[in-house]
Amino acid sequence: QVLAVFVFCSGVAMPGGAAQLIERLKQPDFLQMTAGIVVLAVFALVRWNLKRRAEALQLPAKVTPAGEMRVDDATEADMAERQRDFSRIAKSGSLVIVSPGYTPVRNNEIFVLPDQFKDKDPVDALYEFLAAEIPLESRHNDLGKRILTLVSITPGFKWATTHGIPLMLNQPKYAITICKDTSSGVDNWEVRVGWCSFFVGDVKPNIQAGDYRVYMVSENLNTNRPVQREWTYLDFRAERTTETTMAAFAEEQAHIAAGGGVSTPRYERKKVTRGAF
């Protein structure tokens, strides 16, 4: 198209019209010049397109695309606040629980929690559900407290303040995923918490989603730790997005196969020294 336009314009501008143009086209210097212009035009177009794509993927200056952070375990004094957070999140439909014995169902865009949560305090229901799913001998004493620490506003608040972005975390979703790993010949129960939310680089009024989103997933919470360690590791990934709902995140968490571990979009499960992720 570039070549056609150039040739047409050249023919119109030249004395003698079409006949003169045909003669001109036979000249090597004209063909060389035309080819050079076309190459430069294609190069400029490719460069512009790459620059546009790079700008579209760019995150706010202080946001790391991927990494690790740690969240301190809640103290006894903080636990009441964490329990309130958990109850509010569970009642709002922002929590998904996936386990070998339970597959979530949808009800008007809200994921229905297990029967243990019906007409009960969500915190009590969580402990009841864990007891029904994981045998006592395979369940860590602090498992419930570790879950309550992460299914709260704490991870999102810490991530946002660490990266210097506004505390406008829209449509946050949480997932508790329980899976049974039998690869070693014995039943090893892994429990992880996943979290996902939209965020913005600058304050924007009346915004329902955001230009970016962040995914986060914890290490295995159902395992022994060194006595002196009082925190949980989480891996995160941030990216630009054009989506406007968190339906994809919730749907994926709801259909993880038993033994598959916690997953979030763009993530692949991997083994690291802490047994996480």
Side-chain angles (χ1 to χ4, degrees), residues 166-180:
L167 291 174
M168 298 179 68
L169 302 174
N170 295 318
Q171 301 184 40
K173 299 292 183 184
Y174 300 80
I176 301 171
T177 301
I178 302 171
C179 65
K180 182 168 63 173

Side-chain angles (χ1 to χ4, degrees), residues 153-227:
I153 64 171
T154 303
F157 181 87
K158 180 169 184 177
W159 185 86
T161 54
T162 299
H163 289 86
I165 63 170
L167 291 174
M168 298 179 68
L169 302 174
N170 295 318
Q171 301 184 40
K173 299 292 183 184
Y174 300 80
I176 301 171
T177 301
I178 302 171
C179 65
K180 182 168 63 173
D181 182 3
T182 60
S183 59
S184 62
V186 297
D187 291 348
N188 293 315
W189 293 84
E190 295 187 356
V191 181
R192 306 172 194 273
V193 168
W195 175 81
C196 187
S197 177
F198 289 110
F199 70 96
V200 295
D202 300 298
V203 175
K204 296 182 179 181
N206 303 320
I207 187 170
Q208 300 299 315
D211 300 323
Y212 316 92
R213 62 183 170 190
V214 56
Y215 307 100
M216 200 176 299
V217 65
S218 76
E219 62 181 308
N220 180 18
L221 304 178
N222 191 40
T223 187
N224 292 322
R225 298 176 181 173
V227 176

Side-chain angles (χ1 to χ4, degrees), residues 29-76:
D29 61 332
F30 182 85
L31 295 176
Q32 292 174 358
M33 180 178 65
T34 302
I37 292 175
V38 171
V39 170
L40 289 174
V42 171
F43 176 78
L45 182 62
V46 170
R47 185 175 181 181
W48 172 82
N49 188 51
L50 290 175
K51 181 180 179 181
R52 182 178 62 84
R53 292 177 62 184
E55 290 175 348
L57 295 174
Q58 188 174 7
L59 292 169
K62 295 182 180 180
V63 175
T64 305
E68 178 185 83
M69 77 171 203
R70 71 185 201 186
V71 173
D72 292 338
D73 296 339
T75 63
E76 291 300 324

Side-chain angles (χ1 to χ4, degrees), residues 115-165:
D115 290 340
Q116 286 88 344
F117 284 78
K118 290 182 179 179
D119 302 321
K120 294 181 181 178
D121 176 78
V123 175
D124 293 339
L126 171 66
Y127 280 94
E128 183 178 332
F129 182 78
L130 293 175
E133 290 291 305
I134 305 175
L136 178 61
E137 63 274 12
S138 301
R139 192 169 68 247
H140 195 279
N141 291 335
D142 291 334
L143 177 58
K145 292 181 179 179
R146 292 173 181 175
I147 293 174
L148 292 173
T149 296
L150 299 182
V151 184
S152 69
I153 64 171
T154 303
F157 181 87
K158 180 169 184 177
W159 185 86
T161 54
T162 299
H163 289 86
I165 63 170

